[in-house]
Amino acid sequence: MSEFISPTLSYSLLSPILVVFAGAIIGVLIEAFASKSIRPIAQVSVSIGTLVLALVQVWRIRSSSSTTAAMGSVIIDGPGLLLQGSILIISIIAVFLIADTENFAAAPAAIPGSSEERESIARGQQVSEVFPLTLFAVAGMLIFPVASDLITLFVALEVLSLPLYLMAGLSRRRRLLSQESALKYFLLGAFSSAFFLFGAAYLYGYSGSISFAGIRDAVVGGTGNDVFLLIGIAFLSIGLLFKVGAVPFHAWTPDVYQGAPTPVTAFMAAATKVAAFGAMLRIYYSVFANAEWSWRPLITGIAIITMVFGSLVAISQRDVKRMLAYSSIAHAGFLLTGVIALNKAGLDASIYYLFAYGIASVGAFAVVTLVRDSAGEVTDLNRWAGLGKRSPWVATSFATFLLAFAGIPLTSGFIGKFSIFSAAYESGATAVVIAGVLSSAIAAFFYIRVIVLMFFSDPLEDATSVLIPSILTRITVLFSVVVTIFLGVFPSPLLDFISNIAIFIR
Amino acid sequence: MLVNNGLVYLIALPLFGSALLLLAGRRADRWGHLFATAMSAMSFVLGAVQFYEMLGRDAENRAVTQKLFTWISVGSFNVDAGLLLDQLSICFVLLITGVGTLIHIYSIAYMDHDKDRRRFFAYLNLFIAAMLLLVMGDSYLNLYVGWEGVGLASYLLIGFWNQKPAYATASKKAFIANRVGDMGLSFAIMIAFATMGTVSFIGVKEAAEGSSQGALTAIGLMLLLAATGKSAQFPLQAWLGDAMAGPTPVSALIHAATMVTAGVYLITRSNFIFDAAPTAQLLVVIVGAITLLFGAIIGTAKDDIKKALAASTMSQIGYMVLATGLGPVGYAFAIMHLLTHGFFKAGMFLGAGSVMHGTGDEVNMRKFGGIRHFMPVTFATFGLGYLAILGVPPFAGFYSKDKIIETAFYSGGIKGILIGSIALFGAALTAFYMTRVMILTFAGTPRYDINNPPHESSFLMLLPMGILAIGSVTSGFLLARGEALVHWLEPLFHAHEGHGPEILPPVVISLMALTVVIIGATFAWFKYGRGPVADTAPTNVSIFTRIARRDLLQDDFNESVFMRPGQALTRLIVKTDDVVVDGTVRGVAAATLGSGAALRTSQTGFVRSYAALIVIGAIALIAAIWAVTL
Amino acid sequence: MNYLTLIMAIPLLGAALIATLPQSKSLLAKQFALGTTLIAAVATIFMTTKFERSNTALQFVESYDWIKAFGIKYAVGVDGIALVLILMTALLTPIVVLAGWNESEGGRWSTKTFYILILVLQTMSFGVFAATDVFLFYVFFEAMLVPVYFLIGGYGSGERSAAAVKFLLYSLFGGLLMLASIIALYVLSGEQGGHTFDIEALSQLEMSSTTQNLLFLGFFIAFAIKAPLFPFHTWLPDAAKSATPGTSVLLLGVLDKVGTFGMIRYCLSIFPEASKTFTPLIITLSVISILYGAFLAIGAKDIKRLIAYTSISHFGFITLGIFAMTTQAQSGATLYMFNHGFSTAALFLVAGWMISRRGSSTIADFGGLQRVTPVMAWSFFIAGMSSLALPGLSSFVSEFLVLVGTFTRYPVAAVIATFGIVLAALYILIPVQRALHGPTEPGNENLKDLNLREKIAIAPVIAVIVVLGFYPSPALNIINPAAAQVVSQMGFTDPLPTHGGK
Amino acid sequence: MNPTNYLYVSALLFTIGAIGVVVRRNAIVVFMCIELMLNAANLSFVTFARMNGNLDGQVVAFFTMVVAACEVVVGLAIIVTIYRSRRSASVDDASLLRR
């Protein structure tokens, strides 16, 4: 036994994560001790302040990157920081949406329609635990893509997931749906975690190490029992594919997206995807890279099935949130092509795509929060008819996001799609590119259908009104639109930035 | 060749007249007809001056050219907007502008009551310009412009009273039939360019000597197709009868004297092609022979005076085409017949117009009878034309038609005898149907309300008729005297190669012709001249008469062979486009939607089935990874 | 002087200016739009005068890095072919604005929006013809769809949204196939000396014949949908029927030319071998299009659909000319594109006026217009004559050049295509007879003839049609060197006269 | 005893857990099945630690237990809430969200 060595944690490098954890704990304390009147504003400012501070930290350490921290449990390198930055930016604008507490149950634990609930509404008693929950989730997400051993990875996965399970159930309206979505998300999430963990165990069994470096060395050396490796890869992949919503592990996505409060959906859809793909990229690009013969055909197949399935099913959706959910499944398929590419271009493209898609996603859900009637949000697409007439700016913003999802030039989605497909093609994955192109065509079908509905159809009788957006929501939508278009027209700065620093260290 | 920069004005004047009248609109109503007539007359004067100058030069130097500008120039395809006036085209120029001007004058009175008279004159001027371009263009492509231009003018004029649906249909029919012919001209030009690298007359003439038989034959056949369209020759003859829907001066000018002879011009102009392509030449003869009988037979059965004359025109142009097919010896006679025909047929059409004018636009000859008493001048001019077309010496037709029959007989062998006989038989038929027209119209007893008798036309109408009648009498003699026209045109053609053996002396042939004419006329007199004529066409007639009345089933043929299958094809394609082509697109869309809806059912809402899906996915993944690494 | 960027900027600035106007000032928006398009037209004409005709290199070239990471440049430049198409666009747009003065009023949105869309579309049309970077071209190619989509769906009539969607999906589908090819080119160029989208550089790429064929198809199908060529044409009649006449003019006159232009610029230059491989197929499709479109036009009952079908036939001629690979056919095809813009514009604009007056686009509802509205009827007639390529009108020159140029290399195709001229007579004369001739049908007695604005709009179109018919040299002089260059780059020389084998 | 046998036991437990998730309706039971799967993974970790001769696997097992405890908290909270709303703990009743 060697002597005990005091761990060096490199606090500076971990500062973004630590800041967020600290913010989360402060949030819990506020929830526990602050008076009701100042609680909402305090929570919002603490959350946003924390996230901004974390973002500043990320920016600050960008040049000192490419090293390990916390005794090799965490790797702070270019891609990791980029993904953390993306997660933080997405989280900030998502928190802007969450800040509109109108969407959240006043007392989530209360039975829907019970006297307790009425009472808490009457007293204006709004529980705001959603903010610390969000910050905890963000912290988990920040760790997930930089984790460099199996424990950290698993813990990060749970840290990001558990708050989300709860957040899904917080909706003020349609409580039953919301609670159902929480239940489904939780059960399936835990189920997939078990697969993940089981896979992790076999990787450990294969390599004798829980650190990525150790596993990679084993893969490169080819010393261990390949059966263990393959089982490990397969089960670990299930956990990751579940998180990104790839077919056939996608089933939770539409239900949860629909049931969860829309701001939470926005946050979850965008940020989780970045985190999960971030981890996936790291694992497949650096840990499993030398075993590509085993997993690449599988991921290729899953990518194709995912994009085609997502696009096809989205066509027949009548609910805007479900439609966006299927769209996110299709995008997961597109993003998997970046994983398959397994080259520098693929990495850059994936990071760009994740950021661009994340921003557009938050923007799209932000618009969804605005379209309401007396009973709350209206997500039935038929009742979006004629939105362009009544609220041209809202409809135009939504159309912009849809065009970006569809990958129309001059939007960020096009550059993303182009770069990720070209990277995949470069690596010889022609089939996936062709499938991608075809499913893009299918996907265009339903994005355009929504645009038609908004602009070319006459409104139904029961008027759906558009809420006058709060200033924060307005900022979110505007920011998303600007970023979406800017990244479509002048993608160079970001592309160059990514290209310069996105190098995995091993 | 001499350059004369004035040629363009011949065309420019009537073109300007047309454009001005059309653009000025109603403002030009008061003076438009006079202006157009003046333009046409000035063009005639210019033509006459050119002719006079031409007479003053040697035979070799008579042709003059003018290059206006480079029209189309791409790679080796170079076409100038160039004009050529030679011995051949000057004949046409004088005929077009001369007869044209007379018909302008006639129309001033004839169209007096029509509120759209200005438009009519604009079209007439447009026609004159296009026709002049046709005969003065120095390349096939320039000719093509005039060729389609006259088609357009003809379309506009036939459909001048297009508020009557039948007239509008007639004009469309004419245009389409012409277009079929135009296609032939297109092909000819394409072949010429592909094989010879040029489309100008001079260029093609030079290149023709070095070209293969096949290419020349192909060009020749395509030119013949073009000619059949424009000149209403078999098999594209069907439009001419319907074209009588146009005002009568139009029939006289376009569908008797000038435009329909464009085919003859084209073949004559392309003599260097046909002379070198005997197959094509033979087909020209055959087409001419068929058409001359075809027209003559239809002529015998028509009760509509204009349609009878139209059938006659078709038949007479058949003579000309036949003559052009006889090679160098035939060209001059074809042109001679063309010129004389221009006089007498135009005159007769104007006469018919005069009769119609006098009888309240009646065209059915069975409603006429004895009109000579009421319209003596018309009778006289028409009668002179009648004598001319019959070929009675010394009227114009005698000189020209006789020569054609003669040349046909001398073209050698069985072929000569055959086509000579056909031409002779045609002459008999001509005599029959023209006598029939004369008798039904001018002789016999009136078959109309005698209290409201026909009246003689005004001076403005009679004047052109008179002048044309003079032409009908004298033109033949003038052109044939000392073989004037033959010598005039000689430099253009391969000089007198002579003709085949004279199997019979010319005098005998002339006598034979005269004999059959008398037989034909007599026969007509027996049938129509001796007793009263029914004022409605008898119905208990032989099948042959009925077929002849139906224009030898030409429309029935076109309808059943082209039109109905064409319509069926159109319907089929429209249906195909909707069901198959667009149906495939819609089907793909529907299949996409359907598969989306089907896959959607996998989302059952039960969390256990989602878990099962994950388990299945896991098993599949393990199985796949096992399969992959095997 | 950066002419190309300038003319692209003018409409965009105009659009921005109109965007600042208050919603109620619709007349001002119209006037601004007209002014902007006129300025753009003048600038383009001025640019045309500066063009060196004999120089076959690209001119007015500009190039800036756009997305450096991918080697994408904002690179523009024109040769004679692109120039005439830009000129056509610049000339047609003010006419469309003037002719369709009241078109925007039946729309879902404001007049202001209509003209912003039109102007944005104009910028993109310029861009798509001027781009010399494949990626830039693609961006314009796809982005153009958006304004057109809103123009059809927002301001059209009838089943406008369905038609707009069909148009958009069809085009997007083609565009995505092209995108796949572009991605492959990008990767190939990266393997062979650095990522680039420069056409010149791409045409130097070495590809296996299979690759070349597949990539060619990606481009070609996109262009064939746009053009549209049989069997990818079914979106066009629906779109043309539903769009406003002005939009239809831009759609058929300008947008569809992108397809045929793309064939010349991209298919031929980047994939010369594949182009040769597919030439027999394309020639066949072209010939089918010519006849098929003509038959559909003959069978059409709706006047706008009819015009759309005639265009399918005409695009068959253009494609035929492009792939016949002779200087005559190539020049003819480009001139055809230019001329078709004007003759279709004339047809659509007049048809639009007829329809708006009568309130119906069914041909059978008209009748005897020549007597009621002579100027309108004449305009339609002349446009129709141009469409059937009457000699003396501009289309004849181009159609004949295509035919004669094709004949020297592919006589059978040319012969079959020539049958199209008979069908053309049918499809023009049938509506002329039904709508303009015959007795005045009830409902047409009180139609008003063209007013001064409409006359001013149609006059230049007809003038172009007539003048270029008699004197096409100004256009041909610009086109010829570029067209000859295309043919010689493909390694073809014009067939020499054969003298029929002697 | 050969440590491989423990792996078989672990795999068996995992499978039983997975089947349980799929077949059982009661949310609590389903959740317990998931816990069973997590513990199957733990067993594997410990077995591998033994096989590989280092302690990392055992450490993981501890972490997993903590995480599982957290999951229990969150999970029960959700299940209890939904039970209060629906008066049912059957996962099949919660199937409003579908298609």
Side-chain angles (χ1 to χ4, degrees), chain A residues 389 409 414 418-419 421-422 437 441 445 448 452 455-456 458 489 491-492, chain C residues 66-68 70 108-109 135 138 142 149 153 165 168-169 176 183 187 197:
Chain A
K389 189 98 188 154
F414 173 64
F418 172 79
S419 52
F421 284 159
S422 60
V437 163
F445 201 26
I448 288 163
V452 169
F455 288 100
F456 300 156
D458 293 315
V489 181
S492 264
Chain C
W66 178 22
I67 306 177
K68 215 169 176 182
F70 301 150
R108 290 186 172 274
W109 307 304
F135 193 91
Y138 180 78
E142 290 280 89
Y149 169 69
V165 170
L168 188 61
L169 283 178
L176 284 168
I183 288 170
V187 172
F197 284 99

Short mmCIF file of all heavy atoms in Angstrom, two decimals, chain A residues 389 409 414 418-419 421-422 437 441 445 448 452 455-456 458 489 491-492, chain C residues 66-68 70 108-109 135 138 142 149 153 165 168-169 176 183 187 197:
data_model
loop_
_atom_site.label_atom_id
_atom_site.label_comp_id
_atom_site.label_asym_id
_atom_site.label_seq_id
_atom_site.Cartn_x
_atom_site.Cartn_y
_atom_site.Cartn_z
N LYS A 389 -51.20 35.92 -38.21
CA LYS A 389 -52.04 37.09 -38.43
C LYS A 389 -52.11 37.93 -37.15
O LYS A 389 -51.97 39.14 -37.17
CB LYS A 389 -53.44 36.61 -38.81
CG LYS A 389 -54.36 37.70 -39.28
CD LYS A 389 -54.38 37.73 -40.78
CE LYS A 389 -55.14 38.94 -41.27
NZ LYS A 389 -54.70 39.35 -42.60
N PRO A 409 -30.83 27.33 -45.35
CA PRO A 409 -29.67 28.22 -45.32
C PRO A 409 -29.98 29.56 -44.68
O PRO A 409 -31.12 30.01 -44.69
CB PRO A 409 -29.32 28.39 -46.78
CG PRO A 409 -29.77 27.16 -47.42
CD PRO A 409 -31.00 26.75 -46.68
N PHE A 414 -28.62 25.17 -40.69
CA PHE A 414 -28.04 24.74 -41.96
C PHE A 414 -26.55 24.50 -41.82
O PHE A 414 -26.02 23.48 -42.26
CB PHE A 414 -28.32 25.78 -43.04
CG PHE A 414 -27.61 25.49 -44.31
CD1 PHE A 414 -27.89 24.35 -45.03
CD2 PHE A 414 -26.63 26.34 -44.78
CE1 PHE A 414 -27.23 24.07 -46.20
CE2 PHE A 414 -25.96 26.06 -45.95
CZ PHE A 414 -26.26 24.92 -46.66
N PHE A 418 -24.78 21.02 -42.33
CA PHE A 418 -23.75 20.88 -43.35
C PHE A 418 -22.47 20.36 -42.73
O PHE A 418 -21.84 19.42 -43.24
CB PHE A 418 -23.48 22.23 -44.03
CG PHE A 418 -22.31 22.20 -44.94
CD1 PHE A 418 -22.43 21.66 -46.20
CD2 PHE A 418 -21.07 22.66 -44.53
CE1 PHE A 418 -21.34 21.60 -47.05
CE2 PHE A 418 -19.98 22.60 -45.37
CZ PHE A 418 -20.11 22.07 -46.63
N SER A 419 -22.07 20.98 -41.62
CA SER A 419 -20.77 20.60 -41.07
C SER A 419 -20.81 19.18 -40.54
O SER A 419 -19.86 18.42 -40.73
CB SER A 419 -20.35 21.59 -39.99
OG SER A 419 -21.37 21.74 -39.05
N PHE A 421 -22.79 16.67 -41.43
CA PHE A 421 -22.88 15.68 -42.50
C PHE A 421 -21.56 15.58 -43.26
O PHE A 421 -21.16 14.50 -43.68
CB PHE A 421 -24.01 16.01 -43.48
CG PHE A 421 -25.37 15.69 -42.92
CD1 PHE A 421 -26.51 16.29 -43.43
CD2 PHE A 421 -25.53 14.78 -41.90
CE1 PHE A 421 -27.76 16.00 -42.92
CE2 PHE A 421 -26.77 14.47 -41.38
CZ PHE A 421 -27.90 15.09 -41.89
N SER A 422 -20.93 16.73 -43.47
CA SER A 422 -19.69 16.65 -44.25
C SER A 422 -18.63 15.90 -43.45
O SER A 422 -17.85 15.14 -44.02
CB SER A 422 -19.21 18.03 -44.66
OG SER A 422 -18.97 18.81 -43.54
N VAL A 437 -30.00 13.17 -45.25
CA VAL A 437 -30.56 14.09 -46.23
C VAL A 437 -32.03 13.78 -46.48
O VAL A 437 -32.88 14.67 -46.51
CB VAL A 437 -29.73 14.03 -47.51
CG1 VAL A 437 -30.48 14.63 -48.66
CG2 VAL A 437 -28.41 14.73 -47.32
N ALA A 441 -35.52 15.91 -45.57
CA ALA A 441 -36.63 16.24 -46.45
C ALA A 441 -37.96 15.94 -45.78
O ALA A 441 -38.90 16.73 -45.84
CB ALA A 441 -36.51 15.47 -47.76
N PHE A 445 -41.09 18.61 -44.03
CA PHE A 445 -42.52 18.47 -44.21
C PHE A 445 -43.29 19.01 -43.01
O PHE A 445 -44.21 19.81 -43.14
CB PHE A 445 -42.81 16.97 -44.39
CG PHE A 445 -44.09 16.62 -45.05
CD1 PHE A 445 -44.70 17.49 -45.93
CD2 PHE A 445 -44.69 15.40 -44.81
CE1 PHE A 445 -45.87 17.15 -46.56
CE2 PHE A 445 -45.87 15.05 -45.44
CZ PHE A 445 -46.45 15.94 -46.31
N ILE A 448 -42.66 22.77 -42.09
CA ILE A 448 -43.39 23.65 -43.00
C ILE A 448 -44.87 23.61 -42.71
O ILE A 448 -45.56 24.62 -42.80
CB ILE A 448 -43.08 23.23 -44.45
CG1 ILE A 448 -41.66 23.64 -44.78
CG2 ILE A 448 -44.04 23.89 -45.42
CD1 ILE A 448 -41.12 22.95 -45.97
N VAL A 452 -47.23 26.74 -42.31
CA VAL A 452 -48.48 26.92 -43.06
C VAL A 452 -49.62 27.22 -42.11
O VAL A 452 -50.41 28.14 -42.32
CB VAL A 452 -48.80 25.65 -43.87
CG1 VAL A 452 -50.21 25.73 -44.43
CG2 VAL A 452 -47.81 25.47 -44.98
N PHE A 455 -49.28 30.74 -40.71
CA PHE A 455 -49.36 31.89 -41.60
C PHE A 455 -50.48 31.80 -42.62
O PHE A 455 -51.00 32.81 -43.05
CB PHE A 455 -48.02 32.07 -42.33
CG PHE A 455 -46.94 32.59 -41.45
CD1 PHE A 455 -45.99 31.74 -40.91
CD2 PHE A 455 -46.89 33.94 -41.12
CE1 PHE A 455 -45.00 32.22 -40.09
CE2 PHE A 455 -45.89 34.42 -40.30
CZ PHE A 455 -44.95 33.57 -39.77
N PHE A 456 -50.80 30.59 -43.04
CA PHE A 456 -51.73 30.49 -44.17
C PHE A 456 -53.10 29.99 -43.79
O PHE A 456 -53.97 29.89 -44.63
CB PHE A 456 -51.14 29.57 -45.25
CG PHE A 456 -49.83 30.04 -45.79
CD1 PHE A 456 -48.94 29.15 -46.37
CD2 PHE A 456 -49.47 31.38 -45.73
CE1 PHE A 456 -47.73 29.59 -46.86
CE2 PHE A 456 -48.25 31.80 -46.22
CZ PHE A 456 -47.39 30.91 -46.79
N ASP A 458 -56.69 30.08 -41.47
CA ASP A 458 -57.48 31.04 -40.73
C ASP A 458 -57.67 30.54 -39.31
O ASP A 458 -57.79 29.35 -39.07
CB ASP A 458 -58.83 31.23 -41.43
CG ASP A 458 -58.63 31.89 -42.77
OD1 ASP A 458 -57.86 32.87 -42.82
OD2 ASP A 458 -59.21 31.41 -43.77
N VAL A 489 -25.55 33.21 -40.67
CA VAL A 489 -24.94 34.12 -41.64
C VAL A 489 -23.45 34.27 -41.40
O VAL A 489 -22.66 34.26 -42.34
CB VAL A 489 -25.65 35.50 -41.58
CG1 VAL A 489 -25.05 36.43 -42.60
CG2 VAL A 489 -27.13 35.33 -41.83
N PRO A 491 -21.13 32.28 -39.33
CA PRO A 491 -20.75 31.22 -38.39
C PRO A 491 -19.26 31.19 -38.11
O PRO A 491 -18.83 30.51 -37.19
CB PRO A 491 -21.19 29.95 -39.13
CG PRO A 491 -21.11 30.31 -40.56
CD PRO A 491 -21.36 31.78 -40.67
N SER A 492 -18.51 31.92 -38.92
CA SER A 492 -17.05 31.79 -38.84
C SER A 492 -16.47 31.98 -37.44
O SER A 492 -15.68 31.15 -37.00
CB SER A 492 -16.39 32.77 -39.80
OG SER A 492 -16.11 32.09 -40.98
N TRP C 66 -15.84 33.97 -46.28
CA TRP C 66 -17.11 34.05 -45.55
C TRP C 66 -17.02 33.10 -44.35
O TRP C 66 -17.00 33.54 -43.21
CB TRP C 66 -18.29 33.70 -46.47
CG TRP C 66 -19.61 33.71 -45.78
CD1 TRP C 66 -19.91 34.37 -44.62
CD2 TRP C 66 -20.78 33.03 -46.18
NE1 TRP C 66 -21.21 34.14 -44.29
CE2 TRP C 66 -21.77 33.32 -45.21
CE3 TRP C 66 -21.10 32.21 -47.25
CZ2 TRP C 66 -23.06 32.81 -45.30
CZ3 TRP C 66 -22.38 31.70 -47.34
CH2 TRP C 66 -23.36 32.00 -46.38
N ILE C 67 -16.94 31.83 -44.64
CA ILE C 67 -16.77 30.88 -43.55
C ILE C 67 -15.45 30.18 -43.81
O ILE C 67 -15.36 29.23 -44.57
CB ILE C 67 -17.93 29.86 -43.51
CG1 ILE C 67 -19.26 30.58 -43.47
CG2 ILE C 67 -17.77 28.94 -42.29
CD1 ILE C 67 -20.45 29.66 -43.51
N LYS C 68 -14.44 30.73 -43.18
CA LYS C 68 -13.11 30.29 -43.52
C LYS C 68 -12.89 28.83 -43.16
O LYS C 68 -12.19 28.11 -43.86
CB LYS C 68 -12.09 31.16 -42.78
CG LYS C 68 -10.85 31.39 -43.61
CD LYS C 68 -9.99 32.46 -42.98
CE LYS C 68 -8.71 32.60 -43.79
NZ LYS C 68 -7.82 33.58 -43.22
N PHE C 70 -14.61 26.36 -43.54
CA PHE C 70 -15.02 25.44 -44.60
C PHE C 70 -14.53 25.87 -45.98
O PHE C 70 -14.93 25.31 -46.98
CB PHE C 70 -16.55 25.33 -44.65
CG PHE C 70 -17.17 24.85 -43.37
CD1 PHE C 70 -18.44 25.25 -43.00
CD2 PHE C 70 -16.48 23.99 -42.53
CE1 PHE C 70 -19.01 24.81 -41.81
CE2 PHE C 70 -17.04 23.54 -41.35
CZ PHE C 70 -18.30 23.96 -40.98
N ARG C 108 -52.83 37.89 -47.41
CA ARG C 108 -53.04 37.75 -45.97
C ARG C 108 -52.38 38.87 -45.22
O ARG C 108 -52.78 39.22 -44.13
CB ARG C 108 -52.40 36.45 -45.50
CG ARG C 108 -53.10 35.27 -45.95
CD ARG C 108 -52.52 34.02 -45.35
NE ARG C 108 -53.42 32.96 -45.71
CZ ARG C 108 -54.50 32.66 -45.02
NH1 ARG C 108 -54.77 33.31 -43.91
NH2 ARG C 108 -55.30 31.73 -45.44
N TRP C 109 -51.30 39.36 -45.79
CA TRP C 109 -50.53 40.34 -45.04
C TRP C 109 -50.50 41.65 -45.81
O TRP C 109 -51.06 41.79 -46.88
CB TRP C 109 -49.11 39.84 -44.81
CG TRP C 109 -49.11 38.50 -44.19
CD1 TRP C 109 -49.71 38.14 -43.02
CD2 TRP C 109 -48.54 37.31 -44.73
NE1 TRP C 109 -49.52 36.82 -42.79
CE2 TRP C 109 -48.81 36.27 -43.81
CE3 TRP C 109 -47.81 37.03 -45.87
CZ2 TRP C 109 -48.38 34.97 -44.02
CZ3 TRP C 109 -47.38 35.75 -46.08
CH2 TRP C 109 -47.67 34.73 -45.16
N PHE C 135 -21.15 26.88 -52.51
CA PHE C 135 -21.89 26.98 -51.26
C PHE C 135 -22.76 28.23 -51.25
O PHE C 135 -23.94 28.19 -50.87
CB PHE C 135 -20.91 27.00 -50.09
CG PHE C 135 -21.55 26.79 -48.76
CD1 PHE C 135 -21.67 25.52 -48.24
CD2 PHE C 135 -22.05 27.85 -48.03
CE1 PHE C 135 -22.27 25.32 -47.00
CE2 PHE C 135 -22.65 27.66 -46.80
CZ PHE C 135 -22.77 26.39 -46.29
N TYR C 138 -25.65 27.65 -53.30
CA TYR C 138 -26.65 26.81 -52.64
C TYR C 138 -27.46 27.61 -51.62
O TYR C 138 -28.67 27.46 -51.52
CB TYR C 138 -25.97 25.62 -51.95
CG TYR C 138 -26.95 24.72 -51.26
CD1 TYR C 138 -27.71 23.82 -52.00
CD2 TYR C 138 -27.17 24.80 -49.89
CE1 TYR C 138 -28.64 23.02 -51.39
CE2 TYR C 138 -28.10 24.00 -49.27
CZ TYR C 138 -28.83 23.10 -50.02
OH TYR C 138 -29.77 22.32 -49.42
N GLU C 142 -31.47 27.90 -51.95
CA GLU C 142 -32.46 27.45 -50.98
C GLU C 142 -33.18 28.62 -50.34
O GLU C 142 -34.39 28.57 -50.12
CB GLU C 142 -31.76 26.64 -49.88
CG GLU C 142 -31.24 25.32 -50.34
CD GLU C 142 -32.34 24.27 -50.40
OE1 GLU C 142 -32.98 24.16 -51.46
OE2 GLU C 142 -32.55 23.58 -49.43
N TYR C 149 -42.16 31.16 -51.27
CA TYR C 149 -43.15 30.39 -50.53
C TYR C 149 -44.17 31.33 -49.88
O TYR C 149 -45.39 31.12 -49.99
CB TYR C 149 -42.38 29.58 -49.49
CG TYR C 149 -43.20 28.90 -48.44
CD1 TYR C 149 -44.01 27.83 -48.76
CD2 TYR C 149 -43.12 29.30 -47.11
CE1 TYR C 149 -44.73 27.20 -47.78
CE2 TYR C 149 -43.83 28.66 -46.12
CZ TYR C 149 -44.65 27.61 -46.46
OH TYR C 149 -45.35 26.98 -45.49
N GLY C 153 -48.04 31.52 -50.86
CA GLY C 153 -49.00 31.15 -49.83
C GLY C 153 -49.71 32.35 -49.24
O GLY C 153 -50.84 32.23 -48.76
N VAL C 165 -46.81 24.79 -50.32
CA VAL C 165 -46.13 23.70 -49.63
C VAL C 165 -45.55 22.72 -50.63
O VAL C 165 -44.42 22.26 -50.51
CB VAL C 165 -47.10 22.99 -48.67
CG1 VAL C 165 -46.48 21.72 -48.13
CG2 VAL C 165 -47.46 23.91 -47.52
N LEU C 168 -42.51 24.18 -52.09
CA LEU C 168 -41.38 24.25 -51.18
C LEU C 168 -40.79 22.86 -50.94
O LEU C 168 -39.58 22.67 -50.98
CB LEU C 168 -41.83 24.87 -49.86
CG LEU C 168 -40.71 25.16 -48.88
CD1 LEU C 168 -39.73 26.14 -49.50
CD2 LEU C 168 -41.26 25.74 -47.60
N LEU C 169 -41.66 21.88 -50.71
CA LEU C 169 -41.15 20.55 -50.41
C LEU C 169 -40.41 19.96 -51.60
O LEU C 169 -39.34 19.38 -51.47
CB LEU C 169 -42.30 19.63 -50.01
CG LEU C 169 -42.80 19.85 -48.59
CD1 LEU C 169 -43.96 18.94 -48.30
CD2 LEU C 169 -41.68 19.60 -47.60
N LEU C 176 -31.90 19.26 -51.14
CA LEU C 176 -31.17 18.39 -50.21
C LEU C 176 -30.31 17.38 -50.96
O LEU C 176 -29.21 17.06 -50.53
CB LEU C 176 -32.16 17.69 -49.28
CG LEU C 176 -32.71 18.61 -48.19
CD1 LEU C 176 -33.89 17.97 -47.49
CD2 LEU C 176 -31.63 18.94 -47.18
N ILE C 183 -21.78 18.34 -50.20
CA ILE C 183 -20.98 17.81 -49.08
C ILE C 183 -19.87 16.91 -49.62
O ILE C 183 -18.71 17.02 -49.22
CB ILE C 183 -21.89 17.05 -48.10
CG1 ILE C 183 -22.75 18.04 -47.32
CG2 ILE C 183 -21.06 16.20 -47.16
CD1 ILE C 183 -23.83 17.39 -46.50
N VAL C 187 -15.82 17.39 -49.27
CA VAL C 187 -14.90 16.41 -48.72
C VAL C 187 -13.82 16.07 -49.75
O VAL C 187 -12.63 16.01 -49.43
CB VAL C 187 -15.67 15.16 -48.29
CG1 VAL C 187 -14.71 14.05 -47.91
CG2 VAL C 187 -16.58 15.50 -47.12
N PHE C 197 -14.93 25.81 -52.34
CA PHE C 197 -16.18 25.69 -53.08
C PHE C 197 -16.09 26.46 -54.39
O PHE C 197 -17.09 26.68 -55.06
CB PHE C 197 -17.34 26.22 -52.25
CG PHE C 197 -17.75 25.27 -51.17
CD1 PHE C 197 -17.32 25.44 -49.87
CD2 PHE C 197 -18.56 24.19 -51.46
CE1 PHE C 197 -17.69 24.56 -48.89
CE2 PHE C 197 -18.94 23.30 -50.48
CZ PHE C 197 -18.50 23.48 -49.19
#
